[in-house]
Amino acid sequence: MDISIHTSFLPHDDPDASVAFYRDALGFEVRSDVGQGKMRWITVGPVGRPDTSILLAPPAADPGVTETERRTIAEMMAKGTYGWILLATPDLDGTFEKVRSADAEVVQEPTEQPYGIRDCAFRDPAGNLIRIQELR
Amino acid sequence: MCHPSWGRARIAAQRLGDLARLRRVRDRIDREHVRPLDLAALARDAGMSAGHLGREFRLAYGESPYAYLTRRRIERAEALLRHGGLGVDEVGRAVGCPSAATFEACFTELVGVSPGTYRSRVAELPAGPVRNREAPATVPQLA
């Protein structure tokens, strides 16, 4: 078996705002951008690491999702309990300052956690929680 | 003329905007829970009355902002008592509790034992992971 983790998914509700966050605040490159309006599928990822991507996608685009489920997902995104991802960097403090200075919403400043890691956290424009931990 | 679905869409958008404001309040509690924070200031900064914020927050997250703030402080206090070399009063101050008495009361209510008891109990535990056979025997002492 030789399986790598290739693309993970995060929902957006304002594609332009999400692209701006991942490209300008996190410094990711945009690898593809298909669809239009709110129905856009945008692949982003760290420069120099083409093997891992995040697909920013419209939530609940599957026609099998009911109207009630779609509303629940939109509400969970707005209240910040739906999407989340863990990123990592060797330079946590530098990264934190750069992302903060791009006006991202800070959830947690760099903090030593009792479970043995040091991390910080932001919200992306769709309300997803972006945790960044220090590689050490 | 106004189509009825426009009104519904506007109400839905308003609801999502309100939820996003509540999320920012909750994130602020996460970010600043070790600083002095009070509900009035949180509500003022979010552009809501304290009563409205309290009700809406509870509806969205299942507990009041004050309960959430206290829970975050006590979770942090547990971590500090487990890992830091701090005394009980220092921990209470470090997590932003307004007084030692409040800290004692909140901690005891949420954790089930006082911070002092908690600290002495965790001090007796081995530092690393415990393998099955290393766990202390709990055979009752028979007279």
Side-chain angles (χ1 to χ4, degrees), chain A residues 75 78-79 105-106 123, chain B residues 15 23-24 27 31 60-61:
Chain A
E75 291 183 356
K79 63 183 255 199
E105 284 183 46
V106 177
R123 289 278 173 201
Chain B
R15 164 136 184 85
R23 173 184 98 218
R24 294 193 182 99
D27 284 350
R31 196 166 66 235
Y61 295 111

Side-chain angles (χ1 to χ4, degrees), chain B residues 68-115:
Chain B
Y68 184 72
L69 170 63
T70 305
R71 196 159 56 74
R72 290 306 314 262
R73 284 177 169 162
I74 299 306
E75 280 170 8
R76 184 78 192 151
E78 280 186 89
L80 290 175
L81 288 169
R82 279 198 304 272
H83 297 277
L86 298 178
V88 168
D89 288 350
E90 287 169 296
V91 168
R93 277 195 298 277
V95 300
C97 276
S99 75
T102 313
F103 175 58
E104 284 266 344
C106 293
F107 191 99
T108 307
E109 189 185 334
L110 285 172
V111 181
V113 293
S114 74

Side-chain angles (χ1 to χ4, degrees), chain A residues 59-60 65-82, chain B residues 15-16 19:
Chain A
V65 177
T66 67
E67 200 43 53
T68 309
E69 289 166 341
R70 192 161 288 133
R71 193 162 56 240
T72 299
I73 290 171
E75 291 183 356
M76 289 181 72
M77 287 170 63
K79 63 183 255 199
T81 52
Y82 190 63
Chain B
R15 164 136 184 85
L16 294 182
L19 285 170

